[in-house]
């Protein structure tokens, strides 16, 4: 029999929509896929070259569990430069994507019965990982009218003696919300008075379009630094989803536990990818490549917003970062039903917001080219105009 733990997990709906869309595509139907969660850009050539060179020079063996020293050192430099956070290499653990870093962090902090506070809308993987650890997700609902920002009062109300972790994600998947420093400081002031830890998922840090500066909660105070696990990675900012490189930075005590845990689960991530990641962080061309990617995402976001604003029956909160927008479809009916109608009738794939804790909405990703976005917006508009 399947264990209770495995039975409690819901499969990732994003991938099931993708599968359905791919089946329709295979049957010859042209589907515009707004469901994807990865940049459509390719990994930069110099990063690929670094991985090839690593393989050609025999970098094909096991490494230290947390990653090779030059990579952990490069990550420390990044965290210092971008986030004002001071770590030593042994506080950094490189994992198979942020997904594994998140799992590591939760597995090392959460005991059965512990509560983990999530702010909705949240990335759909969070509650499932919490449940895998035997924890209980406690949802704080953020108001679309408040740009999906959580408030200190909301957080205070949700904290109980069982609260073990508060999980933050800014910029946020799926809402595109970017918490301003003021909002984070207000949350930090509440958290500082508790025994709870913070997991701060900062994977979309670089993808911000309105000039807001990303602020890591770990920079708030010494106490917050000690109780925060910062999570970041290479998937989004370096268009490296398939390389599976993410990392966490934590206090020495937590880092030690994570290394012991990961050493029995996967050991190190694949070795050539580590050398590719060093190149990604150290090659000066990175800034230019990133600037181009941000400019392109910004252009798409603006276009998408300008189209959506004119469409009937829907509403949305303007996204400021990542590459998603949540559209409220409650006037049209059930979000699952709307998502399947959009796929079958309009031939556009979107993800219902329910598994993100955002019932009544669908999530559109704009990680696809302008031509496709334009075509998709035309189809969405036509579909909406046909609805009564
Ligand atoms: N965190 C968030 C909020 C995400 O949206 C994703 C991927 O979509 C991840 C983490 C996982 O990223 P990785 O590819 O590094 O595992």
């Amino acid at each position: 029999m399947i264990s209770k733990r495995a039975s409690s997990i819901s499969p990732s709906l994003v991938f099931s929509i993708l599968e359905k869309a791919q089946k329709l595509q295979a049957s010859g139907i042209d589907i515009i896929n707004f469901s994807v969660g990865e940049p459509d850009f390719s990994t930069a050539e110099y990063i690929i070259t670094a991985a090839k060179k690593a393989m050609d020079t025999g970098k094909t063996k096991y490494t230290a569990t947390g990653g090779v020293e030059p990579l952990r050192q490069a990550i420390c430099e990044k965290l210092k430069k971008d986030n004002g956070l001071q770590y030593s290499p042994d506080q950094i653990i490189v994992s198979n994507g942020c997904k594994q870093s998140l799992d590591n962090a939760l597995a090392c902090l959460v005991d059965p019965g512990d509560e983990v506070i999530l702010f909705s809308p949240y990335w759909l993987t969070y509650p499932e990982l919490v449940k895998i650890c035997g924890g209980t997700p406690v949802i704080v609902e953020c108001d679309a009218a408040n740009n999906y920002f959580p408030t200190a009062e909301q957080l205070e109300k949700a904290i109980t003696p069982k609260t073990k972790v508060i999980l933050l994600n800014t910029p946020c998947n799926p809402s595109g919300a970017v918490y301003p420093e003021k909002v984070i400081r207000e949350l930090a002031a509440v958290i500082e008075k508790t025994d709870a830890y913070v997991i701060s998922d900062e994977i979309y840090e670089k993808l911000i379009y309105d000039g807001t500066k990303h602020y890591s909660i770990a920079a708030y105070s010494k106490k917050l630094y000690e109780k925060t696990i910062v999570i970041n990675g290479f998937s989004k900012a370096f268009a490296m989803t398939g390389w599976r490189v993410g990392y966490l930075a934590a206090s020495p005590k937590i880092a030690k536990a994570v290394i012991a845990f990961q050493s029995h689960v996967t050991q190190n991530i694949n070795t050539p990818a580590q050398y590719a990641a060093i190149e990604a962080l150290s090659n000066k061309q990175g800034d230019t490549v990133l600037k181009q990617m941000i400019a392109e995402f910004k252009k798409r976001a603006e276009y998408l917003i300008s189209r959506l604003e004119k469409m009937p029956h829907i509403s949305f909160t303007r996204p400021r970062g990542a590459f998603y927008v949540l559209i409220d479809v409650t006037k049209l009916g059930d979000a699952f039903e709307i998502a399947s109608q959009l796929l079958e009738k309009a031939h556009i794939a979107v993800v219902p917001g329910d598994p993100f804790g955002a019932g009544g909405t669908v999530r559109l990703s704009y990680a696809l080219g302008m031509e496709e976005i334009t075509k998709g917006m035309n189809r969405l508009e036509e579909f909406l105009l046909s609805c009564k």
Side-chain angles (χ1 to χ4, degrees):
M1 266 312 268
I2 302 300
S3 68
K4 281 194 198 111
R5 175 178 295 186
S7 309
S8 74
I9 301 161
S10 320
S12 173
L13 195 81
V14 180
F15 287 103
S16 72
I17 295 271
L18 200 62
E19 250 171 60
K20 215 166 154 188
Q22 279 165 346
K23 268 190 200 147
L24 288 172
Q25 239 156 358
S27 71
I29 298 173
D30 163 42
I31 302 286
I32 306 290
N33 195 349
F34 284 110
S35 75
V36 283
E38 60 183 346
D40 52 318
F41 304 95
S42 308
T43 306
E45 202 50 50
Y46 59 84
I47 297 177
I48 296 172
T49 306
K52 286 182 187 160
K53 187 173 161 215
M55 284 186 269
D56 288 341
T57 53
K59 307 263 185 345
T60 54
K61 308 276 191 201
Y62 290 134
T63 68
T65 302
V68 293
E69 189 74 8
L71 175 56
R72 294 161 95 184
Q73 186 64 51
I75 292 169
C76 288
E77 281 157 27
K78 178 257 170 258
L79 290 166
K80 185 157 180 246
K81 181 168 127 263
D82 293 349
N83 313 105
L85 299 170
Q86 187 88 41
Y87 292 98
S88 60
D90 57 359
Q91 291 177 267
I92 309 294
I93 293 102
V94 180
S95 304
N96 290 286
C98 283
K99 228 177 210 179
Q100 191 185 13
S101 305
L102 282 158
D103 186 41
N104 280 343
L106 288 164
C108 291
L109 290 176
V110 176
D111 279 317
D114 285 346
E115 293 177 354
V116 176
I117 295 181
L118 307 177
F119 298 108
S120 79
Y122 45 74
W123 186 39
L124 79 188
T125 290
Y126 298 150
E128 306 310 319
L129 289 181
V130 172
K131 285 189 272 170
I132 289 172
C133 299
T136 308
V138 173
I139 312 301
V140 170
E141 279 180 34
C142 300
D143 193 356
N146 187 32
N147 294 305
Y148 292 116
F149 298 156
T151 66
E153 296 73 43
Q154 283 179 310
L155 176 59
E156 228 154 15
K157 260 196 215 149
I159 291 171
T160 76
K162 287 187 181 166
T163 306
K164 190 67 187 282
V165 175
I166 294 152
L167 211 161
L168 290 185
N169 171 221
T170 174
C172 173
N173 172 11
S175 68
V178 181
Y179 302 171
E181 184 172 332
K182 182 174 175 288
V183 168
I184 297 178
R185 285 181 163 274
E186 283 164 7
L187 300 176
V190 173
I191 299 167
E192 204 167 48
K193 290 183 269 166
T194 73
D195 292 330
Y197 291 86
V198 179
I199 297 178
S200 180
D201 179 348
E202 303 180 10
I203 179 120
Y204 292 101
E205 168 189 24
K206 301 284 183 190
L207 303 180
I208 298 181
Y209 315 115
D210 70 347
T212 307
K213 181 138 174 37
H214 172 76
Y215 177 70
S216 176
I217 194 166
Y220 177 75
S221 65
K222 187 166 179 285
K223 196 159 178 205
L224 258 295
Y225 167 84
E226 275 161 13
K227 59 196 209 141
T228 299
I229 301 185
V230 174
I231 296 204
N232 210 325
F234 293 75
S235 286
K236 316 289 173 175
F238 296 99
M240 288 177 71
T241 45
W243 296 75
R244 312 307 302 129
V245 195
Y247 57 88
L248 66 74
S251 68
K253 199 170 164 191
I254 297 175
K256 211 169 140 200
V258 170
I259 287 184
F261 184 76
Q262 181 169 301
S263 74
H264 294 294
V265 181
T266 54
Q267 177 58 26
N268 57 282
I269 72 156
N270 91 77
T271 302
Q274 296 188 46
Y275 287 90
I278 296 171
E279 185 67 17
L281 284 178
S282 54
N283 193 306
K284 292 280 171 277
Q285 291 179 63
D287 289 343
T288 316
V289 174
L290 183 65
K291 265 190 200 137
Q292 283 165 352
M293 188 157 88
I294 294 170
E296 182 60 30
F297 274 133
K298 188 172 176 192
K299 191 171 93 188
R300 294 172 186 181
E302 275 164 11
Y303 173 73
L304 201 85
I305 288 164
S306 73
R307 292 292 307 266
L308 292 173
E309 273 170 349
K310 296 188 195 91
M311 293 188 198
H313 312 304
I314 57 165
S315 59
F316 62 95
T317 298
R318 193 188 178 92
R320 309 281 174 181
F323 38 70
Y324 310 98
V325 55
L326 271 184
I327 299 175
D328 189 322
V329 292
T330 39
K331 283 190 190 149
L332 295 167
D334 174 69
F336 277 93
E337 180 52 33
I338 303 302
S340 47
Q341 282 186 24
L342 284 171
L343 186 58
E344 279 148 30
K345 294 188 186 158
H347 297 157
I348 58 180
V350 301
V351 191
D354 296 71
F356 298 93
T361 68
V362 293
R363 188 195 74 171
L364 266 73
S365 150
Y366 46 91
L368 62 179
M370 273 303 267
E371 206 179 305
E372 275 192 291
I373 293 180
T374 309
K375 225 163 126 190
M377 285 298 105
N378 292 344
R379 289 183 191 181
L380 178 64
E381 189 168 56
E382 204 179 311
F383 173 86
L384 291 171
L385 286 170
S386 74
C387 296
K388 292 232 170 71

